[in-house]
């Protein structure tokens, strides 16, 4: 199984897991770009957003709602957070198994201001 996130989902590579269910796993990013940086990952391998099919709509909805739930769990829901999907080279995608970045916990209001 060559894909890193498939291997994490299978328990073959360790991760700091914050959530697991039948469809999803979520864990802390190994190189955090924010005080809170969690990746929400479907167990099923989908390489990029370009491969999403209509039947994946519920899965993507579950990923988004899970990111919100984890934000609440980690205490950043009210202050705010950012969610990002990177797709392919120009966006800097490095792991070709879709994942939703959950970023937050900054002390100032907006890191892009
Ligand atoms: P992307 O650039 O959108 O493909 O994001 C891939 C993310 O996976 C990066 O933020 C990496 O830091 C993160 N990452 C790579 N390897 C691991 C790992 N073994 N455990 C947790 N996060 C990882
Ligand atoms: Zn995979």
């Amino acid at each position: 199984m060559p894909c890193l996130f498939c291997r994490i989902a299978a328990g073959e590579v360790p991760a700091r897991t914050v959530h697991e269910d039948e469809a999803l796993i979520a864990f802390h990013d190994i190189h955090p770009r924010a005080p809170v940086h969690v990746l929400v990952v479907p167990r099923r391998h989908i390489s990029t957003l370009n491969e999403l099919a209509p039947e994946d709509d519920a899965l993507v909805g579950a990923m988004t709602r899970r990111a919100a739930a984890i934000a609440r769990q980690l205490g950043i829901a009210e202050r705010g957070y950012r969610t990002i999907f990177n797709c392919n080279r120009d966006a800097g995608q490095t792991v070709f198994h879709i994942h939703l970045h959950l970023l937050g916990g900054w002390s100032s209001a907006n890191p892009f201001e």
Side-chain angles (χ1 to χ4, degrees):
M1 201 189 287
C3 168
L4 174 62
F5 287 177
C6 282
R7 296 189 67 203
I8 288 177
E12 295 172 9
V13 171
R16 288 176 56 213
T17 304
V18 294
H19 173 83
E20 278 194 83
D21 62 37
E22 270 182 19
L24 303 178
I25 180 166
F27 48 88
H28 289 279
D29 195 293
I30 204 165
H31 293 125
R33 264 81 148 200
V36 172
H37 188 172
V38 167
L39 303 174
V40 181
V41 180
R43 290 189 183 279
R44 183 158 60 82
H45 183 88
I46 303 169
S47 302
T48 80
L49 285 203
N50 293 339
E51 278 68 51
L52 285 174
E55 50 271 28
D56 300 322
D57 286 0
L59 179 65
V60 176
M63 291 171 72
T64 308
R65 294 212 319 113
R66 181 52 56 189
I70 293 167
R72 184 162 303 287
Q73 185 185 323
L74 298 181
I76 60 169
E78 299 309 322
R79 289 221 323 273
Y81 55 88
R82 178 167 286 132
T83 54
I84 298 173
F85 277 110
N86 292 322
C87 182
N88 278 338
R89 183 192 58 198
D90 280 6
Q93 185 176 2
T94 58
V95 178
F96 288 84
H97 178 137
I98 63 166
H99 48 280
L100 183 56
H101 294 258
L102 165 65
L103 297 143
W106 304 282
S107 48
S108 57
N110 186 332
F112 287 83
E113 272 177 0

XYZ file of all heavy atoms in Angstrom, residues 3 5-6 45 97, ligand 2:
44
model
N 0.421 4.531 -0.634
C -0.048 5.877 -0.289
C 0.078 6.114 1.217
O -0.432 5.331 2.035
C -1.500 6.041 -0.740
S -2.273 7.517 -0.082
N -1.321 8.277 3.300
C -2.541 8.445 4.101
C -3.367 7.157 4.133
O -4.063 6.902 5.123
C -3.343 9.651 3.627
C -2.711 10.982 4.016
C -3.278 12.182 3.600
C -1.559 11.044 4.795
C -2.702 13.407 3.960
C -0.970 12.257 5.158
C -1.549 13.447 4.737
N -3.281 6.311 3.098
C -3.879 4.971 3.195
C -3.184 4.175 4.301
O -3.838 3.458 5.071
C -3.765 4.225 1.868
S -4.969 4.706 0.610
N -9.312 5.809 -0.685
C -8.326 6.561 -1.464
C -8.991 7.304 -2.626
O -9.580 6.685 -3.506
C -7.241 5.632 -2.011
C -6.179 6.374 -2.755
N -5.067 6.894 -2.135
C -6.095 6.736 -4.058
C -4.326 7.532 -3.034
N -4.926 7.455 -4.208
N -3.807 11.974 -1.757
C -4.956 11.306 -1.132
C -5.680 12.465 -0.465
O -5.098 13.111 0.425
C -4.447 10.264 -0.136
C -5.518 9.530 0.629
N -5.477 8.161 0.855
C -6.644 9.979 1.250
C -6.533 7.808 1.581
N -7.257 8.897 1.836
Zn -4.424 6.782 -0.224
